Amino acid sequence: MDSIPVSVMVRIFSFLEVKEKCKAARVCKAWYHLMREKELWKFVDLSSFRINLQSTWKIIRCYFTDALKTLHLRGFMSSIKNTECISNAVLKNLFERCPNITELHIEDAMLANIDSGNLPPTLKILKLKRCQTTFGWFKSAVDKGRFDHLHTLNVERSTRFCNEDLKDLASIPGGGKLERLSFSSCYRVKQEGFVTMSEHLTHLTHLDICRTNVTDDDMHFICRQLKRLESLLVQDCDSLTDLSVGSLSTLPNLQELDLGGSSMKFTGDAIISLMGRLHKLKTLYISVSETITEADLEQIQSRKCNCNIIIQ
């Protein structure tokens, strides 16, 4: 293999998973040095397996540099092991070694003891799926300016997310740069949270609030304030009724709308009316429900429009 150019070897090794890269580094001294090429550690995904705090430290110290852009981690929330994949010290060291990191994805992690103020201030995308935090967990990050560049936040199924967190996010000067927000399945968010979000996070273009307690009144606030919305996902929000149709029809830029879910209460006539008023709508998700029959779906699909109707 001595005749193979280093650039070609690096390209080959780039297709290996992290575990395989670490194993390859033990083959010989040449591969050991090759595995430290920055090109191999720009986008690191550790979510396919769980690693404990000791292993996280080892990988950071051995391989992470200023080349790192994206990091995926998976914790132990659904495991019997009493350990975690991240700590405050790890977060601090991560930014010291990787000042150009822009994406952090953490799944199934216990973050109650983590100070969000230790998150890297360079983040543009933060996804905390199925993580457990404390109420008001985001306040420290906001107060320390850690979200000044953040444009995507996803806390899907992180059920401690609540009104207080939305209030803290809303306190970012000028609403910050947040454009994409998802807190689906976060049932603790109530009307106060929806109103606060609508009044202050006015740059939002994508909003995912599936399986939340959003009501017709909340939808009125959302549609009155968030006129930039291009994508709105409200699947399985069974408190919504035809009363929300008037509000939804006022979103001039809406291109994607998810009204799916067997418990949804929209009627076929209301959806047909809505389709006629949302001229930029490209994708609509709907389902058979108590108020929408198979015949209604056929009627909706038979309408001539530029909208792609997806039956769930």
Side-chain angles (χ1 to χ4, degrees):
M1 289 192 175
D2 292 340
S3 60
I4 301 177
V6 171
S7 60
V8 175
M9 291 292 291
V10 170
R11 176 63 176 167
I12 294 171
F13 286 140
S14 69
F15 292 100
L16 296 178
E17 297 289 342
V18 173
K19 275 189 175 181
E20 281 65 43
K21 289 177 184 176
C22 294
K23 290 178 180 177
R26 298 195 292 268
V27 171
C28 63
K29 185 177 292 186
W31 283 24
Y32 173 85
H33 291 294
L34 273 175
M35 284 306 144
R36 279 160 173 71
E37 287 287 331
K38 291 184 177 182
E39 188 70 25
L40 296 174
W41 301 94
K42 284 186 176 181
F43 310 100
V44 179
D45 188 352
L46 300 171
S47 62
S48 59
F49 49 88
R50 294 182 172 94
I51 61 170
N52 58 28
L53 201 55
Q54 182 180 0
S55 298
T56 302
W57 269 116
K58 186 174 181 180
I59 291 175
I60 289 176
R61 289 170 172 169
C62 288
Y63 301 109
F64 285 10
T65 67
D66 58 357
L68 183 71
K69 299 290 186 182
T70 302
L71 176 61
H72 295 246
L73 292 171
R74 186 181 177 197
F76 291 82
M77 275 229 333
S78 56
S79 170
I80 61 173
K81 292 184 178 181
N82 185 25
T83 186
E84 259 313 328
C85 64
I86 199 164
S87 67
N88 286 305
V90 164
L91 279 177
K92 291 179 180 179
N93 189 252
L94 180 65
F95 179 61
E96 290 173 0
R97 289 176 173 271
C98 315
N100 298 310
I101 185 172
T102 57
E103 291 189 37
L104 180 60
H105 304 242
I106 304 177
E107 300 178 16
D108 301 313
M110 175 68 73
L111 302 179
N113 295 322
I114 300 296
D115 179 0
S116 66
N118 290 322
L119 289 168
T122 51
L123 290 180
K124 295 181 179 180
I125 297 175
L126 176 62
K127 296 187 178 184
L128 307 174
K129 293 186 178 181
R130 300 180 302 277
C131 292
Q132 185 169 325
T133 59
T134 54
F135 300 129
W137 187 80
F138 292 89
K139 179 174 174 54
S140 179
V142 172
D143 290 346
K144 295 180 180 180
R146 294 304 196 253
F147 289 167
D148 288 352
H149 302 286
L150 196 70
H151 66 66
T152 298
L153 175 63
N154 187 327
V155 290
E156 176 185 340
R157 299 185 185 180
S158 296
T159 54
R160 291 294 182 92
F161 188 80
C162 62
N163 290 347
E164 193 65 28
D165 293 308
L166 283 170
K167 181 179 178 181
D168 291 331
L169 291 172
S171 68
I172 301 174
K177 297 182 179 180
L178 198 60
E179 297 179 355
R180 303 176 67 87
L181 176 62
S182 171
F183 52 93
S184 64
S185 300
C186 295
Y187 61 87
R188 297 180 192 274
V189 176
K190 307 294 184 182
Q191 184 174 69
E192 180 187 353
F194 288 114
V195 172
T196 300
M197 172 194 70
S198 303
E199 290 179 342
H200 297 279
L201 301 179
T202 54
H203 297 300
L204 289 177
T205 60
H206 175 96
L207 180 61
D208 180 356
I209 50 176
C210 296
R211 295 172 293 280
T212 63
N213 295 313
V214 63
T215 65
D216 290 326
D217 287 340
D218 301 330
M219 191 57 62
H220 171 72
F221 283 110
I222 290 171
C223 296
R224 187 175 68 180
Q225 300 290 340
L226 303 181
K227 295 299 185 183
R228 299 185 184 185
L229 281 180
E230 298 176 2
S231 174
L232 178 59
L233 312 181
V234 292
Q235 183 181 124
D236 289 320
C237 293
D238 54 15
S239 294
L240 297 179
T241 70
D242 285 355
L243 293 176
S244 289
V245 168
S247 301
L248 290 168
S249 65
T250 65
L251 295 173
N253 299 305
L254 199 63
Q255 299 178 30
E256 180 186 31
L257 179 61
D258 188 347
L259 302 178
S262 60
S263 60
M264 297 291 277
K265 297 181 175 64
F266 290 101
T267 62
D269 289 341
I271 291 178
I272 289 174
S273 172
L274 183 61
M275 291 171 61
R277 298 161 75 178
L278 293 174
H279 302 296
K280 291 188 178 181
L281 192 64
K282 295 180 179 179
T283 305
L284 173 65
Y285 299 88
I286 53 176
S287 307
V288 172
S289 66
E290 296 177 0
T291 53
I292 297 181
T293 64
E294 293 283 357
D296 290 327
L297 291 180
E298 290 179 8
Q299 186 178 0
I300 292 170
Q301 288 181 305
S302 67
R303 289 185 59 83
K304 294 181 179 179
C305 62
N306 295 323
C307 179
N308 180 27
I309 300 170
I310 300 176
I311 310 299
Q312 296 179 319

